[in-house]
Structures are given as structure tokens and as C-alpha cells.
Amino acid sequence: MDFVAAFSAALKTLDHNGQQQLPLVTLVDCAAQLGLQSVAVSYVRQFEFADTPLQQAHRISLFHGLGYSDEAFRLSYAALDRFPNDIYLTQQLGEMQMCTGFTDDGMKNFSAFSSRSFYEEHRGGMRDNGWNFNRLWEGEAIEGKRFLIIPL
């Protein structure tokens, strides 16, 4: 990939219309590769994210992707104060915690995205197709259990 060309194209697009998410993500990804995080962060700060959990999680991930971990954590905790127990914000926090060495807390928070409660709330239709959410492992003792391991 030509990061310089993609970075330039994203800048041009954002300078014309700064409220487009795809060029913003492209800008952040390229900036991280090119060492131009300080250029991209100003665009992320100017972007008007909707005040929804998913949009706030996206905003946080962009700051984290640029290496602005302190700002990402501050935004994450503020968003979780507004949207307690939101699955997307919790998962985003867990990912950041794992990346910054807080593995135990990170695994706990990240795994919320694949928890029974997540599937019940967000994927209830799967139950109608035969899924048994109670079979999802959530840290229970595995002694005496059988597992099927499928290599990918």
C-alpha cells in the first residue's frame, strides 16, 4: 500500500468535507504507519462523533490507534460513565487495557463482547436457529468437561 498517497488523499477529502468517517480512518491508519500522528489527531479532535456508544467507541479506537492512550482512556471512562455496561465501550476498554499491559482487566472487559449476556441482548435471533448460549464458556471450571478444538 502506498501510505503517502492514501494519507494525501484522505487529507484532501477531509479538508473538503471533514465529517466523513472512512477518510478519517484511512488518515489515522496511514498516520500511524508514517509517524504523522500529530497531524491526524487534530482531525480526530475536530470530527463530530454522535453521542452513541458505538460512535464513542470508534472515536476512542482512533485515539488509541494514534498512540494517544491517555486521551483514549480518559474518553473511555467518560463514555462508560454516560453509557454504563455498554458492550462496545467495554470491549474497547478491554482491548486498550490488554495493549497497555493490564492483561487481566483487559481480558475480562474484552471478553464481554463474547459473553452470554452479549448474545442474549444483541444476537437473540441465533437462539431461534439452535444456538445454546449457556454453552458459551465464561471462566467456569473446565475440569471434567470435553472440548472440540477446531484449528483455523
Side-chain angles (χ1 to χ4, degrees), residues 30-99:
C30 293
Q33 294 296 319
L34 298 170
L36 298 171
Q37 293 90 331
S38 62
V39 174
V41 76
S42 64
Y43 286 87
V44 176
R45 286 186 178 129
Q46 293 170 22
F47 196 88
E48 296 174 17
F49 290 91
D51 194 27
T52 65
L54 192 56
Q55 282 288 296
Q56 291 305 307
H58 180 64
R59 176 184 184 208
I60 293 161
S61 73
L62 293 175
F63 279 106
H64 181 63
L66 288 170
Y68 286 74
S69 295
D70 289 344
E71 192 159 356
F73 275 109
R74 183 183 56 74
L75 291 168
S76 184
Y77 294 127
L80 280 164
D81 281 345
R82 280 196 320 282
F83 306 103
N85 301 315
D86 178 77
I87 202 76
Y88 299 106
L89 291 168
T90 303
Q91 183 265 341
Q92 180 62 45
L93 175 61
E95 183 178 314
M96 292 188 314
Q97 288 170 321
M98 287 189 291
C99 289

Side-chain angles (χ1 to χ4, degrees), residues 110-143:
F110 187 81
S111 66
F113 203 61
S114 60
S115 67
R116 293 178 198 133
S117 62
F118 170 79
Y119 281 95
E120 287 290 345
E121 183 176 343
H122 299 281
R123 304 287 189 262
M126 292 172 64
R127 189 181 332 92
D128 300 335
N129 291 318
W131 280 72
N132 180 354
F133 301 146
N134 291 325
R135 296 182 73 180
L136 292 171
W137 182 70
E138 290 189 345
E140 300 87 357
I142 59 172
E143 207 171 309

